[in-house]
Amino acid sequence: MGTRSLRFREALRAAMLEEMERDDSVFLLGEEVGHYQGAYKVTEGLLEKFGPKRVIDTPIAESGFAGIAIGAAMVGLRPIVEFMTWNFSAVAFDQILNNAAKLRQMSGGQLQVPIVFRAPNGSARQVGSQHSHAMEHFYAHIPGIKCIAPATPADAYGMMKTAIRDENPVLVFESETLYSLKGDVPDDPDFTVPFGVASVAREGKDISLISWSRPVHVCLDAAAELARQGIDAEVIDLRSLRPLDEETILRSVRKTHRAVIVHEGWSYGGVGAEIADRIQRFAFDDLDAPVGRVSFLDVPMPYNAALEQHVIPNTPRVVEAARAALYAR
Amino acid sequence: MTDSSKLDHLLHLYRQMQLIRRVEEEAAAAYAKGKIGGFLHLYIGQEAVAAGCSAAMRPEDTMIGTYRDHGMALVRGMSARALMAELYGKDTGCSRGLGGSMHLFDAKNRMLGGYGIVGGHIPLAAGVAFASKYRDEKAVTLCFFGEGAVPIGDFHEGLSLAALWKLPVVFICENNEFSMGTPMSRTLSVEDLTLKAPGYGMQSDRLIVEDVLEVEAHIRKAIDRAREHNEPALIELRTYRFRGHSMSDPGKYRSREEVEAHKARDPLLRARKQLVDGGREADVLRVEEEIEAEVLDAVQFAESSPEPSADLLEATTYVGPFAR
């Protein structure tokens, strides 16, 4: 199997394009996805290829178009909904929570909702308080939906395909700051990456850094720095938050006996808290230190560039948390 | 239509309306005995809306509505047994006891729910219509909601997008004058709700519900336009619920006289009188007897049906393996 070098956005686009070619019931809708070629150019060229029936520009009415897509999915179409960013999904939250996630159960299993919601998520360089949310924490809470957050172009490609082929609602958390990241992507339209399988982004024996999406790269930077300090860190890229690859997390912690969870978004009640809980429940006797966490500081995102860097997980904070878990201050 | 076939048709609609009323009266009794839990929103007084609208639909058309959904489910073909068993929370219910009164679903008959968040299903209905158009099915979706849904955002986003994208959907506002206990004078800035339609470039129609056949005739025009020209419409049907918002509502926000005045104009009794006056009293009595048996059988069926197994819970949350 050959590979091609693609940027993250091109990998997502290739996956959508190939799945739309494969299945006529797949269509794409969202703000600026067509004529504008995508607010972040992820959907560039798709309108020209598939026409306005299958690549649909929407007005700014997230609840309305998310609901329409869910309605279309519950009778068998397979919509891909692009939110301009996940921040704007907040006004469509009811549609995702009360309709997409619940329809199957409240119909006694009569209906299913094969739909993909995707958008950039998390911090994005000084876009301020209302445009910097890490929304996966809100959504991973909800049974009935799946949440994925790839960190590499290959995973973006393979997981987007899996998402489109899934019979359940799948939420794809991308990152604006990763869209230009280049990487090798399998040159195979049948390449898919299963959900619920984490990837070991760097093997190590001293401590487990557990992360997803953009902060995986922060963890790799931190691991390089820790290596210079004689500490061999393992980096786990979860890729998928619901389902969560508990086995890979526990296997790593049982090897290193120490863990730091690194993510964007606030720590209070978030996905990191869930992971920390599972580690203490299932690997309590293997732990040599409390599980550490590095996340957004517990404040709304400031605009100021230096303060923003202060709030989001950065390499020095991850290094410091790792050293603390190793009692190596 | 000859007088005789018209009366045959009216008898069919009377049967549906009477079935709704009797099922709900028995449901209310079962609720009072603690056999049915949660919320129970009765449709009594509004039956001519569901029956009249359904009569104008084809089997491939879809109905979607609110939590006041018993009437809709029955007119689209759900059995009284499946409905009553759902109210009892039993495994034999339409949604296997997992949905309850507010979430009746019958995919086979294209009754696609019963929704508990006011207005949240309006975009869904537009989405079902979107799919019909996408696949060129020439099918129409009917979306029901009360006037209490008109102030919420999803009403406006749903109508705006349906008009923009020319979707074959008919929005039916069942204006029963009260959103729970608040009269429309305190929830809406206009009394004529069809005034919302021109702002979206949408057709509209308005009717006081007295005669089930009149409802059918008005809705048929809107359905035909939707089917043939992909023109959505907003229809306001002025109606009245004789019971409280739900079983827990004592109805202190309106006078007994007001309710009695509306009951005197009960569309169900009007249909019955038309049939009797047309010489069909024997048919009416036969239908009523059949319905009695059907309803009592439904209660018995619900009583004796098994509870759903906990094994259902995860299997109905995801298709395939549970995502945890």
Side-chain angles (χ1 to χ4, degrees):
Chain A
M1 184 171 69
T3 61
R4 46 191 160 157
S5 176
L6 293 181
R7 294 187 190 278
F8 199 104
R9 64 160 60 80
E10 294 165 340
L12 291 168
R13 185 191 307 144
M16 289 191 283
L17 185 147
E18 289 164 17
E19 293 306 298
M20 287 177 77
E21 283 179 326
R22 181 175 170 270
D23 182 349
D24 285 347
S25 66
V26 179
F27 69 100
L28 172 71
L29 74 168
E31 292 144 357
E32 313 290 5
V33 298
H35 291 276
Y36 191 88
Q37 310 296 330
Y40 298 99
K41 301 290 173 274
V42 175
T43 59
E44 193 169 43
L46 295 182
L47 173 65
E48 285 70 14
K49 179 149 185 65
F50 295 104
K53 181 185 171 185
R54 297 181 67 195
V55 178
I56 302 164
D57 282 320
T58 68
I60 302 166
E62 283 84 1
S63 188
F65 69 74
I68 285 181
I70 295 165
M74 75 192 220
V75 291
L77 294 186
R78 308 182 76 86
I80 303 169
V81 179
E82 177 177 310
F83 292 121
M84 194 177 293
T85 81
W86 271 107
N87 300 284
F88 309 150
S89 79
V91 293
F93 188 71
D94 174 65
Q95 287 297 339
I96 299 172
L97 170 71
N98 274 309
N99 291 333
K102 305 280 171 61
L103 266 159
R104 179 167 166 77
Q105 210 231 34
M106 69 184 179
S107 67
Q110 292 180 72
L111 299 176
Q112 56 197 51
V113 185
I115 191 170
V116 175
F117 293 98
R118 47 159 295 268
N121 180 58
S123 70
R125 294 195 198 96
Q126 283 195 275
V127 292
S129 172
Q130 296 185 330
H131 284 207
S132 299
H133 292 103
M135 295 296 287
E136 70 272 37
H137 302 282
F138 297 90
Y139 290 109
H141 185 60
I142 305 169
I145 60 183
K146 299 182 180 180
C147 294
I148 62 166
T152 67
D155 285 345
Y157 176 73
M159 296 184 88
M160 179 59 69
K161 284 175 164 280
T162 305
I164 295 167
R165 296 181 192 185
D166 203 288
E167 299 300 334
N168 299 283
V170 180
L171 280 54
V172 185
F173 296 91
E174 303 161 9
S175 166
E176 185 190 334
T177 52
L178 291 183
Y179 277 148
S180 293
L181 180 75
K182 267 191 165 176
D184 286 341
V185 173
D187 199 2
D188 172 8
D190 285 322
F191 173 79
T192 57
V193 174
F195 297 164
V197 182
S199 137
V200 179
R202 182 189 194 280
E203 287 201 34
K205 59 178 175 21
D206 295 334
I207 185 164
S208 305
L209 303 178
I210 300 164
S211 191
W212 62 88
S213 189
R214 192 190 71 83
V216 168
H217 302 280
V218 177
C219 289
L220 289 169
D221 280 350
E225 173 56 30
L226 287 165
R228 284 190 282 275
Q229 300 175 17
I231 296 167
D232 185 17
E234 178 148 298
V235 177
I236 304 293
D237 173 5
L238 289 175
R239 307 196 284 193
S240 163
L241 305 176
R242 192 191 255 271
L244 185 65
D245 185 357
E246 193 176 281
E247 204 179 301
T248 296
I249 295 169
L250 296 177
R251 192 189 309 131
S252 179
V253 171
R254 285 179 181 131
K255 176 173 71 173
T256 65
H257 308 290
R258 297 160 204 275
V260 172
I261 302 159
V262 183
H263 62 73
E264 296 210 326
W266 303 299
S267 59
Y268 196 126
V271 174
E274 172 69 19
I275 296 166
D277 170 64
R278 295 199 199 186
I279 292 172
Q280 66 82 22
R281 263 193 294 150
F282 301 119
F284 186 77
D285 290 339
D286 295 286
L287 283 174
D288 284 346
V291 175
R293 294 170 69 191
V294 178
S295 66
F296 283 177
L297 299 184
D298 203 15
V299 293
M301 186 65 75
Y303 161 72
N304 175 275
L307 287 180
E308 180 185 47
Q309 288 306 311
H310 177 69
V311 166
I312 65 181
N314 53 40
T315 302
R317 273 173 62 206
V318 176
V319 168
E320 186 191 327
R323 291 182 63 85
L326 285 149
Y327 303 108
R329 276 180 213 276
Chain B
M1 199 185 278
T2 64
D3 277 359
S4 169
S5 65
K6 187 180 168 188
L7 285 174
D8 285 345
H9 182 56
L10 183 61
L11 182 68
H12 168 67
L13 299 186
Y14 175 71
R15 189 187 201 293
Q16 291 189 329
M17 293 193 285
Q18 177 69 6
L19 178 64
I20 297 168
R21 184 158 301 185
R22 287 293 301 121
V23 162
E24 289 205 326
E25 285 170 351
E26 290 304 317
Y31 189 90
K33 284 188 242 168
K35 305 261 188 185
I36 296 172
F39 293 122
L40 186 70
H41 305 89
L42 300 182
Y43 197 57
I44 291 175
Q46 302 181 213
E47 298 94 336
V49 175
C53 291
S54 180
M57 293 170 72
R58 292 183 186 167
E60 64 268 29
D61 295 340
T62 295
M63 205 180 248
I64 290 187
T66 69
Y67 46 83
R68 202 178 300 284
D69 55 355
H70 308 155
M72 275 182 278
L74 289 171
V75 296
R76 293 316 287 161
M78 184 184 292
S79 71
R81 279 184 164 200
L83 190 157
M84 193 65 79
E86 187 62 31
L87 303 187
Y88 272 67
K90 297 296 183 71
D91 191 43
T92 52
C94 62
S95 304
R96 306 200 66 181
L98 304 180
S101 164
M102 297 193 286
H103 307 305
L104 300 178
F105 285 83
D106 186 353
K108 178 172 54 69
N109 286 315
R110 295 195 70 91
M111 158 60 189
L112 296 184
Y115 296 85
I117 306 297
V118 170
H121 66 294
I122 294 174
L124 292 188
V128 174
F130 176 97
S132 300
K133 187 178 177 184
Y134 188 94
R135 293 190 285 228
D136 199 21
E137 293 169 337
K138 298 284 176 210
V140 178
T141 299
L142 269 67
C143 177
F144 293 77
F145 47 88
E147 88 290 349
V150 172
I152 205 168
D154 271 349
F155 167 85
H156 299 276
E157 295 190 19
L159 266 68
S160 172
L161 286 162
L164 178 69
W165 291 343
K166 301 196 185 315
L167 303 179
V169 54
V170 179
F171 298 104
I172 296 168
C173 178
E174 289 189 78
N175 182 350
N176 65 15
E177 302 184 16
F178 292 90
S179 52
M180 197 163 153
T182 307
M184 55 186 297
S185 60
R186 289 197 282 121
T187 60
L188 291 157
S189 56
V190 292
E191 188 268 345
D192 177 355
L193 301 184
T194 61
L195 288 172
K196 307 294 180 189
Y200 301 119
M202 189 182 285
Q203 307 258 8
S204 69
D205 190 7
R206 204 177 179 215
L207 177 71
I208 294 171
V209 175
E210 291 174 338
D211 186 313
V212 65
L213 295 175
E214 204 181 356
V215 172
E216 179 187 352
H218 277 257
I219 296 300
R220 188 180 299 285
K221 280 187 211 153
I223 288 180
D224 288 350
R225 268 200 314 267
R227 196 184 316 278
E228 282 156 30
H229 308 294
N230 287 315
E231 279 181 24
L234 172 65
I235 315 290
E236 180 186 7
L237 297 178
R238 260 317 252 279
T239 180
Y240 202 82
R241 64 172 153 73
F242 298 164
R243 300 295 189 98
H245 167 74
S246 69
M247 288 299 290
S248 58
D249 170 16
K252 289 182 176 165
Y253 45 84
R254 56 188 190 180
S255 69
R256 182 179 292 270
E257 291 72 28
E258 178 183 319
V259 178
E260 290 306 318
H262 279 280
K263 282 186 179 173
R265 296 195 295 271
D266 185 350
L268 181 145
L269 294 182
R270 180 191 174 108
R272 190 181 194 282
K273 185 168 186 307
Q274 285 170 328
L275 287 163
V276 171
D277 291 350
R280 296 296 189 91
E281 185 164 15
D283 288 334
V284 167
L285 293 174
R286 176 178 50 78
V287 160
E288 287 172 352
E289 205 171 309
E290 286 167 6
I291 285 172
E292 258 343 270
E294 190 175 339
V295 172
L296 295 180
D297 166 73
V299 172
Q300 183 56 40
F301 176 78
E303 293 267 2
S304 60
S305 286
E307 302 279 341
S309 155
D311 293 345
L312 265 183
L313 296 175
E314 293 199 352
T316 53
T317 301
Y318 289 98
V319 183
F322 195 89
R324 58 169 52 82

